[in-house]
Amino acid sequence: MTVLDWALLAGYFVLLIVIGVQTIRRVQSADDFAVAGNRIIWPVFFGSLAASFLGGGASLGVAGKTFSDGYVYMFAFFGYAVSFLLIGLFVAPRLKRYLGAHTVGDVMEEHYGRGARLITGVLSILLCAGILGAQALAIGTVVNATLQLPTVPSVIVGMGVVVLYSSFGGAWAVIQTDMLQFVFLGVFIPVTLVLALGEVGGPAGLLAALPEAHLTFGGGYGALMFIGLFVSFLLGETLVPPYAQRTFSTPDSRHARIGFAMSGGFAFLFYFIAASIGLVALVMFPNIPPDQAMPTVVMNLLPAGLIGLVVAALLAVVMSTASSYLNSIAVVFVKDIYQPFVNPQVSAQKKLWLERGLSLGVGVVATLFALSVPSIVDALLYSYTFWAPTIVIPLLAAVLLGSRAKAAALSAIAAGAVVTAGWILFLQDSTGLDGLVVGAAANIVVFAVVALATRATPTTPDRRPVAEEA
């Protein structure tokens, strides 16, 4: 990298810190820290949400897996985009009925009681910590592949910046930095693909140079493996805490619907771009580790002066997701565990400082997790097992059907967790079917059976005021 590249990269980090510091004065309450005062209109919501879910898995992970497996992995990863479209059209607007809600636990308690809030809070923290660790690992991967710096100190420095602005600026800082990061990834990642295609003879040259299996829909995946991956990505991040939190930050259901659905549409395009960069890397640099596909293309095929900006874009993709999950862990712990079960009389000021302190502590734990998993995508898939087979179905039943079947929800959560764990330990390797899929199926069946057995009748949520739809 040239001096100009280093200067641009350093300027990006300085700008992130400045944004984080200047938002401190806007955070006067727990509402400001958690949901930015419910004042996030749909264009900002779209940019922030897209920056949050287009993290290390959606960029480095997709490029790396497509490098090794072909476009089949991209098709499986489209499960994310489908999920966001469906949530945007049918679920996100209904979340705005829960006035004053900050977390998924608020919704679960409304329908299924305090026990459901506690379980949701614990599982939310496990999920967020795992995904945060995946992003920390991605920071190290980017820095090591582009700047040739050791992974461990790279993770520490990168996470240090994230922790700094997330801890003190809360949701305001996360959303404002997300918008900057969205601009970087929305401009410079596509530019990278355009320039890289020029090095391999354009789209036709790329297709001609690739193994045939890399261009087929099925690739080398069996039907069960593909279905398992698609369902894992479809359900794995459905209404996870940061995305629900973003939805609660909007002023009404219209803003929630438009922002969520647009981010789903944008995801299809971004995943295609990331996957295609991975294939360019396969043609040009076939012997590199898969997770380094995108950084290697950046460092070897881009002109001086642009490298620093694209490295900043790669870090933006990762750091935006990391900051979102870090903020959510703090909010979930205080709102779903500490306040209702430990100290119901906690003051607003103490809640705010507790959330900030937790952000600092959790950053350390996530960094340690990042150094103990084999790849970014593995870290994501490990984390999803805490969420999709347990919380998603009862949550959707609550929001869409108004279900208050407490016994069904708690039984389904337990069944999903036990079946998923048992399948992963004893049957996943021999069958090729992901435990998350089997656990989610068990969750659905148990929820339906127990709900019918206890004659639980779905009702419309009525204990909270309903926001008027715009």
Side-chain angles (χ1 to χ4, degrees):
M1 283 179 44
T2 66
V3 174
L4 176 59
D5 290 316
W6 281 103
L8 292 171
L9 184 59
Y12 168 73
F13 274 93
V14 170
L15 187 55
L16 285 181
I17 295 172
V18 168
I19 290 174
V21 171
Q22 64 89 21
T23 54
I24 292 176
R25 66 178 182 274
R26 304 188 68 173
V27 181
Q28 303 296 326
S29 67
D31 278 352
D32 290 329
F33 190 92
V35 292
N38 303 109
R39 297 194 293 272
I40 305 304
I41 61 176
W42 72 259
V44 178
F45 176 45
F46 158 59
S48 176
L49 185 62
S52 295
F53 74 77
L54 298 176
S59 55
L60 306 182
V62 168
K65 281 293 192 178
T66 307
F67 175 98
S68 58
D69 299 348
Y71 271 132
V72 61
Y73 186 82
M74 178 194 70
F75 293 128
F77 213 80
F78 278 167
Y80 272 130
V82 173
S83 174
F84 272 81
L85 281 174
L86 295 176
I87 294 297
L89 294 174
F90 302 110
V91 182
R94 293 173 180 263
L95 285 178
K96 289 305 298 178
R97 296 180 175 185
Y98 300 88
L99 297 184
H102 291 178
T103 67
V104 173
D106 286 321
V107 179
M108 294 292 280
E109 181 180 17
E110 172 71 16
H111 290 265
Y112 305 125
R114 282 166 54 84
R117 175 192 277 277
L118 178 61
I119 294 170
T120 301
V122 172
L123 292 174
S124 295
I125 290 172
L126 291 173
L127 168 80
C128 290
I131 295 179
L132 179 60
Q135 306 314 311
L137 176 61
I139 291 173
T141 300
V142 170
V143 175
N144 178 260
T146 56
L147 308 181
Q148 304 301 312
L149 298 176
T151 299
V152 173
S154 300
V155 169
I156 293 173
V157 172
M159 285 298 294
V161 174
V162 170
V163 169
L164 179 63
Y165 71 75
S166 299
S167 299
F168 293 96
W172 276 116
V174 171
I175 289 170
Q176 289 193 31
T177 53
D178 277 352
M179 291 306 297
L180 171 67
Q181 291 157 339
F182 176 72
V183 171
F184 267 74
L185 70 91
V187 172
F188 293 114
I189 302 301
V191 166
T192 299
L193 176 60
V194 171
L195 295 177
L197 284 173
E199 298 292 330
V200 294
L206 175 64
L207 295 176
L210 288 170
E212 184 177 348
H214 274 57
L215 300 175
T216 60
F217 182 84
Y221 291 6
L224 283 180
M225 184 177 180
F226 180 84
I227 292 170
L229 275 177
F230 185 87
V231 173
S232 295
F233 295 134
L234 180 74
L235 299 178
E237 292 192 20
T238 297
L239 290 178
V240 292
Y243 309 156
Q245 207 174 316
R246 287 290 187 285
T247 307
F248 294 135
S249 299
T250 58
D252 57 47
S253 59
R254 173 178 170 272
H255 289 275
R257 178 175 59 251
I258 295 174
F260 226 113
M262 284 188 64
S263 66
F266 179 77
F268 283 104
L269 175 62
F270 187 87
Y271 298 154
F272 172 75
I273 291 171
S276 298
I277 291 174
L279 294 182
V280 171
L282 175 64
V283 172
M284 301 283 297
F285 314 102
N287 298 317
I288 61 173
D291 266 356
Q292 293 195 7
M294 187 177 287
T296 301
V297 167
V298 170
M299 295 304 295
N300 289 276
L301 300 185
L302 298 188
L306 189 59
I307 292 176
L309 292 174
V310 178
V311 171
L314 291 178
L315 289 171
V317 168
V318 178
M319 294 171 71
S320 58
T321 303
S323 62
S324 297
Y325 279 90
L326 185 59
N327 177 259
S328 286
I329 290 173
V331 173
V332 166
F333 179 83
V334 172
K335 190 77 188 293
D336 292 339
I337 298 175
Y338 182 80
Q339 184 175 7
F341 297 100
V342 179
N343 185 6
Q345 305 304 317
V346 61
S347 67
Q349 195 63 24
K350 185 175 181 180
K351 282 173 59 178
L352 178 58
W353 282 104
L354 183 58
E355 287 169 340
R356 284 172 167 164
L358 280 167
S359 296
L360 292 170
V362 169
V364 175
V365 176
T367 301
L368 295 175
F369 176 83
L371 302 176
S372 64
V373 293
S375 78
I376 299 165
V377 171
D378 287 328
L380 291 175
L381 292 175
Y382 293 158
S383 303
Y384 295 161
T385 59
F386 293 120
W387 190 254
T390 54
I391 300 299
V392 170
I393 301 306
L395 176 60
L396 291 177
V399 176
L400 295 175
L401 303 177
S403 173
R404 297 188 184 277
K406 179 179 178 179
L410 297 178
S411 299
I413 290 171
V418 170
V419 170
T420 301
W423 190 273
I424 289 174
L425 289 174
F426 303 111
L427 294 171
Q428 182 164 298
D429 290 340
S430 60
T431 63
L433 183 61
D434 196 287
L436 182 151
V437 178
V438 181
N443 185 285
I444 294 172
V445 171
V446 170
F447 185 91
V449 169
V450 176
L452 290 173
T454 55
R455 300 181 184 277
T457 304
T459 59
T460 301
D462 57 6
R463 284 190 286 171
R464 291 181 185 269
V466 178
E468 181 178 348
E469 298 214 5

